[in-house]
Amino acid sequence: MNENFHIRKVAVLGAGVMGAQIAAHLVNANVPTILFDLPAREGDPNGIVNKALDGLKKLEPSPLASPAKLNFIAAANYGQHLEQLRDCDLVIEAIAERMDWKSELYHKVAPYLGERTIFASNTSGLSINKLAEAFPENLRHRFCGIHFFNPPRYMHLVELIACEKTDALLLDQLETFLVSGLGKGVVRAKDTPNFIANRIGVFSLLATLHHAERLGLGFDTVDALTGSYLGRPKSATFRTLDVVGLDTFAHVVNTMRDNLHDDPWHSYFAVPDWLNGLIEQGALGQKSRRGVYQKVGKDIHVLVVHTKKYRLSAGKVDDTVKELLRQRDWAAKLEGLRNSAHPQAQFVWRVFRDVFHYCGVHLPRIADNARDLDFAVRWGFGWGSGPFEIWQAVGWQKVLGWINEERAAGKTMSDVELPHWAQDPARTGVHSAQGSYSPALGIDQPRSVLPVYRRQEFPERLLGEEAHYGETIFENESVRMWHGSEKLMDGHPNDDIAILSFKSKMHIIGDEVLDGILRAVDEAEANWRGLIIWQTEPPFSAGANLLQLMQGVQPASEDAGMFDKLKQAANRVKYTVAGGGGLSQVLNAATGNVPQVEAVVAKFQQVTQRIKYAQVPVVSAVDGLALGGGCEIIMHSARVVATLESYIGLVEVGVGILPAGGGSKEAALRAAQEAKGGDLFPFLKRYFQNIAMGEVAKSAELAREMGYLRAGDRIVMNHFELLHVAKNELRALTATDYRPPLPPTQIPVAGRTGTATLQAAMINMLEGGFISAHDYKVGCAVADTLCGGDVEAGSLVDEQWLLDLERKHFMELLATDKTQERIEYMLKNGKPLRN
């Protein structure tokens, strides 16, 4: 029997950009961390580390799930604190990419490592075996590479690289920690320069540079072509280089140049003169506020290579090319681009062609199988589909023929022939239901069988892999209720937990979804252990259906044509709310009789109360946005299981209303419970500020601090484990005879005194010009609801009193012209109106 493996404490060596952010993500996962660097030459010996820790507070998006996490990173230096390494289970070296510097550091720290300490380098491309040579031979079995991608909190990929002596069990244990403990997607990489993701991703960037120069395309035009149209980040190519750092990109390219002399594409591994020029000027990209792009006032300017000057960025895609890029089908898209004579179309096709060619030639050298290559590029560079997935989707033999034809004509960047496995006339792709092709094994290699992956019921899929979401209990246009399909010998379902998934866009909540929830709770009470609300794809829910709300409030005599236009615009909009993330993308217009608004609001309250007091537990499994009505659902659930990257908040004030699906009631109740009979106002004030400002928690940790999650709710690091943990939480709730909470009948409220205090603070903001008169009106409605209305301070009320108050204020605000203007503006323009 293997001993339990625990990572109790970690040391990170090097307080640079990556080292400090790796330390931040470790404490996000509740792993105490020591951050080391050189002793400062003057002042506090830990000055270098302390400066790096201060810098973490200023980065946006934040590398910390909560500012409080910073307290769990201890500052240390090599001159005074090496003894502290003995207590660390894992040490991650993250200093500059210099073999001599790393070797010197290894010699220095090796005597202080515990006999069971794992030592890993975060190198982005240096040889792990060469680095191991600087390590004492008796410790090399505990040495490996762990390559995080920047920023470590948000990038899913970690490459795990063994040296020749690395213990196999240690790698398995480390992979388990990285997957479940830190929430990462792990790919085992071979010890080749730049490993997998950087090898392919950087070649793609070099191919992009090459073809853009040959076809005379500006950097902003290239970015317009290579972003969201190809399922990649909006930062596309050159904006991504600015974010990564031009010096970092140059270093990775030079690593390829210096270590890959036998690569058939070696002549392209060079940093262009214009890019070297920017680096020499200190124009390194985002970190120096100038690179390929720079901001001039409110305008973005882009570098023009031949003039070495900047011009206003205005890259546009030709309309005919745009139509080709909008094709959802990869086969139609790439065939259309290849057949087009337009330079923009030819540019995109040629980059794809040469990337396919490069991947086909190098797969046996750099990865165990095609799955690892595709996941590495997807997770490390943010591609929606990996290179082999796209090749297979277009048609393996078709693309093979195109590459061979253009290689014979001298059009490809290299004339090297594709290997035999890729040229097999019977090959239709590299991904199948059985696995992904491994050139070394000559078979489709299945996924890893490490026990940690049993926690992922629905792992990320590749082309050709289908997810079977259990057996349907009931389904309509708005929701689907289902359960696991495994059966016991007697034919009864092995999985006795029901799951409810929404089918609306962005999982917004309208009248039909509310009906679905009510039906699902009834069904769960009758036949199932409990109910989990979990979406097969994020987000959890972006809130209420605003269009349905506006349809309900619009008088029949109004011009229907205006609302037809509104509905058409709404179908195209993904809109945002002040304070964070997108609120929703509205559904197609509902037809027939639209329920009256107050009846829908009352039903929403009925739904959340039904969730709260169901006879079986209702667990919300949250990933991504849980805004407005989505937040109200989770606040009423018996338990919430949320991924770290969940963005939760009551954001209704952004459109001039207040939470009225029980959210305001629940905030008042939680404030009273937290006060425990003491002074209520400080607790109430926190909830008021969150609701009145439309604050969104930008992590599940912050959601807990803001009161949207409770102490007993769970935070999951890996979103693919979310459903597994939610089921276990539900089973834990029912391990004893589950009972819903007793309805509180005596909730103390702050009354008119509390309302007056909150109003006084808002008057100062109004007079200072920080809020508008209508913001003040909305804030007063929130204050009156949370404080229990026009009653004496300390009065005792019940939940229904608070529900009636929030519904009353909601309807009064909705009747105002200003609120209706805000909702209409949000639907039409995708951003809040400050009127």
Side-chain angles (χ1 to χ4, degrees), residues 699-715:
S699 74
E701 286 284 357
L702 286 174
R704 180 177 280 159
E705 292 175 17
M706 293 168 68
Y708 294 131
L709 298 185
R710 296 152 299 188
D713 292 330
R714 306 299 181 199
I715 297 176

Side-chain angles (χ1 to χ4, degrees), residues 298-336:
K298 294 185 178 181
D299 296 324
I300 303 297
H301 289 234
V302 63
L303 181 72
V304 179
V305 170
H306 66 274
T307 65
K308 297 182 180 179
K309 295 180 180 179
Y310 290 83
R311 61 162 171 79
L312 189 65
S313 176
K316 292 184 178 179
V317 178
D318 176 80
D319 287 342
T320 59
V321 177
K322 191 180 294 183
E323 288 304 309
L324 294 171
L325 291 171
R326 282 177 172 164
Q327 293 274 357
R328 291 179 178 269
D329 178 64
W330 277 109
K333 180 182 291 188
L334 285 195
E335 187 155 15

Side-chain angles (χ1 to χ4, degrees), residues 97 124-125 193-194 198-207 209 241 244-261 263 265-276 279 358 381:
E97 292 286 87
S124 60
N194 291 340
N198 276 342
R199 181 76 175 267
I200 301 303
V202 170
F203 175 78
S204 176
L205 291 169
L206 291 170
L209 288 169
L241 290 184
V244 169
L246 301 186
D247 53 337
T248 301
F249 173 69
H251 170 78
V252 177
V253 172
N254 290 334
T255 299
M256 293 173 73
R257 180 198 65 206
D258 296 341
N259 295 284
L260 292 170
H261 297 288
D263 192 302
W265 286 265
H266 183 267
S267 62
Y268 299 98
F269 301 162
V271 179
D273 291 340
W274 63 265
L275 199 149
N276 273 324
I279 294 171
Y358 194 82
F381 280 78

Side-chain angles (χ1 to χ4, degrees), residues 284-457:
L284 306 178
Q286 186 172 280
K287 57 190 171 186
S288 61
R289 300 186 179 181
R290 184 166 74 91
V292 178
Y293 291 91
Q294 71 170 350
K295 195 171 184 179
V296 180
K298 294 185 178 181
D299 296 324
I300 303 297
H301 289 234
V302 63
L303 181 72
V304 179
V305 170
H306 66 274
T307 65
K308 297 182 180 179
K309 295 180 180 179
Y310 290 83
R311 61 162 171 79
L312 189 65
S313 176
K316 292 184 178 179
V317 178
D318 176 80
D319 287 342
T320 59
V321 177
K322 191 180 294 183
E323 288 304 309
L324 294 171
L325 291 171
R326 282 177 172 164
Q327 293 274 357
R328 291 179 178 269
D329 178 64
W330 277 109
K333 180 182 291 188
L334 285 195
E335 187 155 15
L337 291 167
R338 182 176 185 263
N339 292 335
S340 170
H342 197 284
Q344 292 182 0
Q346 279 298 302
F347 159 76
V348 176
W349 156 245
R350 292 178 193 182
V351 172
F352 269 111
R353 175 200 65 201
D354 289 315
V355 169
F356 293 153
H357 191 189
Y358 194 82
C359 291
V361 168
H362 286 299
L363 174 62
R365 298 177 175 89
I366 66 174
D368 290 332
N369 54 62
R371 175 179 52 253
D372 288 349
L373 188 149
D374 275 348
F375 275 155
V377 175
R378 279 168 56 170
W379 295 341
F381 280 78
W383 289 24
S385 302
F388 284 128
E389 287 184 285
I390 299 170
W391 183 345
Q392 182 169 325
V394 176
W396 190 271
Q397 294 299 322
K398 180 182 287 187
V399 172
L400 176 65
W402 290 342
I403 293 172
N404 285 337
E405 177 186 331
E406 297 186 19
R407 184 179 66 82
K411 295 179 179 180
T412 54
M413 290 172 66
S414 169
D415 64 358
V416 65
E417 191 173 1
L418 281 162
H420 292 301
W421 71 264
Q423 304 245 32
D424 182 350
R427 179 164 299 284
T428 58
V430 290
H431 301 303
S432 71
Q434 288 69 47
S436 295
Y437 186 72
S438 166
L441 300 176
I443 60 169
D444 287 348
Q445 188 174 6
R447 287 176 179 254
S448 170
V449 295
L450 280 180
V452 68
Y453 292 110
R454 295 177 200 154
R455 297 168 59 87
Q456 300 184 13
E457 293 191 42

Side-chain angles (χ1 to χ4, degrees), residues 129 133 167 171 251 276 346 356 396 411 466-467 479 488 573 666 683 707 724:
N129 281 294
E133 291 174 5
D167 180 80
L171 278 181
H251 170 78
N276 273 324
Q346 279 298 302
F356 293 153
W396 190 271
K411 295 179 179 180
E466 295 296 328
V479 301
L488 294 176
V573 171
E666 199 67 16
F683 300 94
H724 169 83

Side-chain angles (χ1 to χ4, degrees), residues 65-109:
S66 161
K69 292 291 186 183
L70 198 63
N71 297 324
F72 299 97
I73 304 177
N77 66 79
Y78 305 129
Q80 297 175 303
H81 304 121
L82 288 179
E83 282 288 343
Q84 295 183 28
L85 293 175
R86 298 192 193 280
D87 297 328
C88 295
D89 301 296
L90 172 64
V91 176
I92 300 173
E93 169 269 305
I95 69 170
E97 292 286 87
R98 285 270 302 267
M99 186 75 75
D100 53 341
W101 291 359
K102 291 179 186 288
S103 297
E104 182 183 348
L105 180 62
Y106 295 179
H107 285 296
K108 180 184 293 185
V109 304

Side-chain angles (χ1 to χ4, degrees), residues 128-149:
I128 298 301
N129 281 294
K130 286 206 177 220
L131 288 170
E133 291 174 5
F135 227 62
E137 190 167 356
N138 65 322
L139 295 180
R140 288 179 194 170
H141 67 291
R142 305 192 68 78
F143 180 81
C144 64
I146 297 179
H147 181 210
F148 289 84
F149 277 68

Side-chain angles (χ1 to χ4, degrees), residues 591-624:
T591 58
N593 295 322
V594 179
Q596 293 299 308
V597 174
E598 187 164 10
V600 175
V601 176
K603 184 187 288 186
F604 210 128
Q605 293 179 336
Q606 177 194 357
V607 165
T608 54
Q609 291 294 92
R610 186 79 177 90
I611 288 170
K612 184 173 183 177
Y613 296 111
Q615 293 303 304
V616 294
V618 178
V619 173
S620 286
V622 179
D623 185 26

